[in-house]
Amino acid sequence: MSTNPADVRLLTTDLPLQGERVSFSWMVWSGEWDTVSYAVTDLQKVAALDNADAVIGIRIVSQVRYRVHMISDNEYEPRYTAYGTAVTYG
């Protein structure tokens, strides 16, 4: 188990667990961010705080928010949240 975000492996269905045996799993998610990379980095940090060894099945959800400004032009801004299943090996 690791508390360093860089040690938490991010795995997709294309990169399986490679023979590791999962002892525990739970859902984790990031906060809302303006880029995909920030959302994934935050997901990795959340998993590290929970002492996960890896996050599998990562899903990115995107939303568009309309922001109203009183003085300048209104704008659309994208927001991204990353979800995944954190696992520990045993």
Side-chain angles (χ1 to χ4, degrees):
M1 292 189 253
S2 174
T3 57
N4 183 358
D7 292 338
V8 176
R9 295 189 300 171
L10 301 175
L11 305 173
T12 64
T13 54
D14 296 332
L15 187 71
L17 291 173
Q18 302 168 353
E20 303 280 0
R21 184 174 182 154
V22 174
S23 59
F24 297 103
S25 65
W26 62 98
M27 288 294 298
V28 290
W29 56 91
S30 70
E32 288 187 356
W33 294 91
D34 56 350
T35 67
V36 172
S37 63
Y38 286 154
V40 173
T41 300
D42 189 44
L43 179 71
Q44 205 169 14
K45 288 178 185 176
V46 170
L49 289 173
D50 288 343
N51 293 320
D53 291 317
V55 179
I56 59 175
I58 299 166
R59 179 177 179 220
I60 307 294
V61 175
S62 109
Q63 297 177 335
V64 177
R65 290 198 179 162
Y66 186 67
R67 195 166 190 182
V68 178
H69 297 282
M70 298 294 279
I71 299 171
S72 62
D73 291 337
N74 299 334
E75 63 184 350
Y76 291 97
E77 61 179 27
R79 304 300 289 172
Y80 302 96
T81 304
Y83 297 88
T85 303
V87 296
T88 55
Y89 302 130

